[in-house]
Amino acid sequence: MTLNKQAQLIRYQDCPSTPWKNGGGNTKQLLISPINAELTEFDYRLSIASISSNGPFSLFNGIDRQLVILEGDGVELSIDSHEGEKQINDLGAEERIQGDTDTTEYKRLTPIDSPFCFAGETSITSQLLGSDVIDFNVMTKRGVFKAHTQRLNFDGIFIVEHAAITNNNKSEHHNTADAPIVDLLCCLDTMTWEHNGKIIKLMPYDMLIIRPGEDIKLVTTAPNRLLRVTITACKP
């Protein structure tokens, strides 16, 4: 749904669901660039996956990944540290595992945890801690693009004005040293978007793409949560 040349709303319910080959879950792709890219040649990709059983992560060579648990009890990741030297050292997410020997490290992720960064080549097996899990995935081609993923909370009015984030409780300014290729907000709760005199209801997992210079105003009557993803080009 394109509302003008800048703002774009992606409805989660309209994104097709693709079942995994191993039957352990399914994925809804929210965004991929280039638009018709295959999973072996994209520049960046955002998706939401439902995990219903234990199993290994798919491998993505040359891809940096970020993972956020949205719903469920969470997962425990078994991480092959043999791939440690390939772990990400320059991503904006707050959690990463570093390994330097041929050992297995373990990481628990729940819906309250920060985004977890890892290299797509890393051998990881996921085990559910209880109920099925829904997670948010960001993938970027290493050395070409990088992503910064953060959890945001607000109550009342939330405004994105160019590169600044403000609401009635606090103000946060995103680092603008690198101009973003694309800036995105993923809603984790129900809220409304005031746009060009219209009030548009946003449902959980709907996503707004904010183009440079675009102003966004979100309104809620209860505490709400967002994910903000900023994708930038790597410096040559």
Side-chain angles (χ1 to χ4, degrees), residues 30-121:
L30 304 178
L31 180 67
I32 193 169
S33 180
I35 191 170
N36 294 318
E38 300 292 336
L39 292 184
T40 55
E41 57 184 21
F42 61 86
D43 291 331
Y44 53 85
R45 179 177 186 251
L46 285 82
S47 62
I48 291 179
S50 300
I51 305 175
S52 56
S53 66
N54 304 330
F57 282 12
S58 298
L59 300 180
F60 288 88
N61 293 330
I63 297 296
D64 290 333
R65 301 187 59 178
Q66 300 182 22
L67 177 68
V68 183
I69 302 299
L70 302 179
E71 292 184 31
D73 293 325
V75 294
E76 181 172 81
L77 305 180
S78 302
I79 304 164
D80 183 359
S81 293
H82 177 68
E83 300 292 335
E85 64 185 51
K86 297 179 181 178
Q87 297 298 323
I88 302 165
N89 293 311
D90 190 31
L91 280 182
E94 299 173 24
E95 291 287 342
R96 53 177 63 86
I97 291 291
Q98 295 286 351
D100 54 8
T101 60
D102 293 345
T103 61
T104 298
E105 298 195 38
Y106 298 91
K107 174 69 179 177
R108 285 199 171 196
L109 294 178
T110 71
I112 65 172
D113 289 321
S114 301
F116 171 63
C117 289
F118 60 100
E121 300 89 346

